[in-house]
Amino acid sequence: MSRPLEAVIRLDNLRHNYHVGRALAGGRALAVVKANAYGHGAVQCAKALPDADGFAVACIEEALQLREAGIAQPILLLEGVFEASELELVERHGLWLVVHHEGQLAMIEAAKPQTPYTVWLKMDSGMHRVGFAPADYAAAHARLCASGKVASITMMTHFARADEPGAQATADQIATFQAATEGLAGDISLANSAGLIGWPAARVGWGRPGILLYGASPMPVDGPAVELKPVMQLKSKVFAVRELATGEPIGYGASFHTSRATRVGVVACGYADGYPRLASTGSPVAIDGVRTRIIGRVSMDMLTIDLTDLPDAGVGSEVELWGDTVSVNEVAAHAGTIAYELLCNVKRAAFRYR
């Protein structure tokens, strides 16, 4: 029998979430499937969205993987090209590309395409990671138009703090973008998942839903809510049970001691599988829809859970690490990180697509 760790990917939930994101955007949305669809399987997820308006990936390698799998919709390279030789592949495969610095703009001006490029011109409206400064944006837009090598320009930016409801920084970014693009021709794209959920003023043009596609909200628990369905259910099984008396240590470092007679279940999942080591004692898990907790430290290949109040649970019982009963956001909070990281890090699990 194979190791029982499974990542069950519910593609109907993915489709539901995409339509939620597209509705928030007002009708057009690129499904962000970079980083192997946030750990869910980029090809499988893209194939499950035949009516998507397009997809967004980080780099050309990810785009070519989708094209080779028969994905025909538009694909945007969010980081653009890294060298001029990639522009031939962009043209050959009909890819869209982000232009966010002078070097990429110069590559387009020097290129000799048979078919003009579809460009998304990025502004640094306040995140200060990539993008043209607002004062330089109109000139970059004019150079692309004058090059004769661009079919269309979509003007875009990216938010740094959209997951903080009411943060003035996001309102400032929107205002900066609007002022710098006034009078310029082209489509617009402002909103990532947090922008779509929390910022109505950002719901213009193209939406770029990412984490919301996979059923995890980027917003705080008390923030704006939308009806998302978790796509990944990470589950395993109890493969051993121990009965321990009061005061006994469990696991590496003896970081946990039993406060009562305790039934301990040992589960086939650990940090080598992507479950976060920092989400040790107290992190929630569920057995048959009933919540319990991890006790002791997460090990490389296994973790231990409290079965004391679950007398019917034992060897062979199914354990949900995250999914329907236990939110991936809850586990991330226990580990001091975010759902994005947990989902991207899943490995050694058998992936099942439904």
Side-chain angles (χ1 to χ4, degrees), residues 12 42-43 117 154 216 256 282 294:
D12 53 344
V43 169
Y117 305 114
T154 296
F256 178 87
I294 291 175

Side-chain angles (χ1 to χ4, degrees), residues 298-318:
V298 173
S299 303
M300 182 179 289
D301 309 302
M302 62 189 82
L303 51 82
T304 46
I305 63 175
D306 192 348
L307 299 181
T308 311
D309 297 326
L310 300 171
D312 295 331
V315 172
S317 290
E318 186 172 279

Side-chain angles (χ1 to χ4, degrees), residues 119 121 137 141-142 145 152-155 180-188:
V119 168
L121 182 62
Y137 193 80
H141 188 282
C145 292
S152 66
I153 300 173
T154 296
M155 297 174 284
T181 58
E182 186 174 1
L184 301 182
D187 283 339
I188 290 174

Side-chain angles (χ1 to χ4, degrees), residues 206-224:
W206 287 89
R208 305 190 308 273
I211 192 67
L212 77 75
L213 293 177
Y214 309 103
S217 174
M219 309 305 286
V221 173
D222 58 353

